Structure formats: structure tokens, C-alpha cells
């Protein structure tokens, strides 16, 4: 089941106070970036985020869910109505996620 664009718009609205947020559509779902790094996404109308140390501290009881078959588990963000919490969550996860490795040209 693909995610609903209305849910994407809701989440982006909730992230509107967080700097440097972007997204990209991918196969009916949406990848969420913060500071140019992949921090999570919207999968089947669920807002999932990478299980970094800070994310697990901020959401110790968050359910772990698979975004799609064969993927690594992510944390379900249930507190989507709190913009301040989301800003802290997104920026702390982005600070922990490593920079994307640059590919070498052959």
C-alpha cells in the first residue's frame, strides 16, 4: 500500500519548524531528509525514523517496524502532533547519521 500524499503533507507541516527538511518520493513512499541526510521516511502512512541512540533515548517505548520487506527495522514515531519534539528528534538523528559516502569514479 502506498502512502497517502495528505499524510506526507501533514508530517511536513509538523516538521515546518525544523530547519533543512526535504523529502523525495520513492516507489509510492517518501524518504525524509534532515541536513541532507536520510533520517527516516513515510511508509504505508507510518512515520518511521532510523533507530539511532538519540532516537531510542527520546522514544524508549517506540515500536520497531519494518518499512518494507527485507528492510532494517525503524522506530515508529507516534508523537507526531508535537512540533518541538519532532524538531529535537529530527536534528538529533541527523547529527548521528553518517555522511553519505561519495562514490568513486572508475
Amino acid at each position: 500500500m502506498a502512502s497517502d500524499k495528505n499524510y506526507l503533507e501533514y508530517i511536513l507541516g509538523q516538521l515546518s519548524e525544523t530547519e533543512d527538511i526535504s523529502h523525495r518520493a520513492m516507489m509510492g513512499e517518501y524518504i525524509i531528509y534532515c541536513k541532507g541526510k536520510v533520517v527516516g521516511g513515510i511508509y504505508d502512512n507510518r512515520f518511521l525514523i532510523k533507530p539511532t541512540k538519540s532516537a531510542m533515548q527520546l522514544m524508549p517505548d517506540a515500536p520497531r517496524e519494518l518499512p518494507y520487506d527485507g528492510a532494517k527495522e525503524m522506530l515508529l514515531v507516534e508523537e507526531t502532533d508535537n512540533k518541538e519534539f519532532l524538531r529535537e528528534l529530527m536534528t538529533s538523528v541527523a547529527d548521528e547519521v553518517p555522511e553519505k559516502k561519495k562514490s568513486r569514479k572508475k
Side-chain angles (χ1 to χ4, degrees), residues 17-79:
E17 296 177 10
T18 305
E19 291 183 28
D20 204 12
I21 293 291
S22 59
H23 72 283
R24 183 171 66 158
M26 185 171 288
M27 298 187 296
E29 307 297 353
Y30 302 95
I31 307 300
I32 305 293
Y33 298 84
C34 183
K35 300 179 184 179
K37 300 175 183 179
V38 175
V39 293
I42 297 173
Y43 305 91
D44 297 328
N45 289 332
R46 299 169 299 157
F47 183 26
L48 303 178
I49 196 153
K50 290 189 173 197
T52 64
K53 183 177 180 180
S54 61
M56 291 187 285
Q57 288 174 341
L58 289 167
M59 304 185 312
D61 299 322
R64 291 178 172 261
E65 297 192 7
L66 295 174
Y68 52 88
D69 288 338
K72 293 180 182 178
E73 284 186 333
M74 298 178 83
L75 300 176
L76 176 64
V77 180
E78 296 178 304
E79 195 174 338

Side-chain angles (χ1 to χ4, degrees), residues 77-95:
V77 180
E78 296 178 304
E79 195 174 338
T80 59
D81 58 344
N82 184 336
K83 288 183 177 185
E84 181 59 37
F85 169 75
L86 291 175
R87 178 177 34 213
E88 181 180 359
L89 177 64
M90 298 299 283
T91 56
S92 62
V93 170
D95 289 343

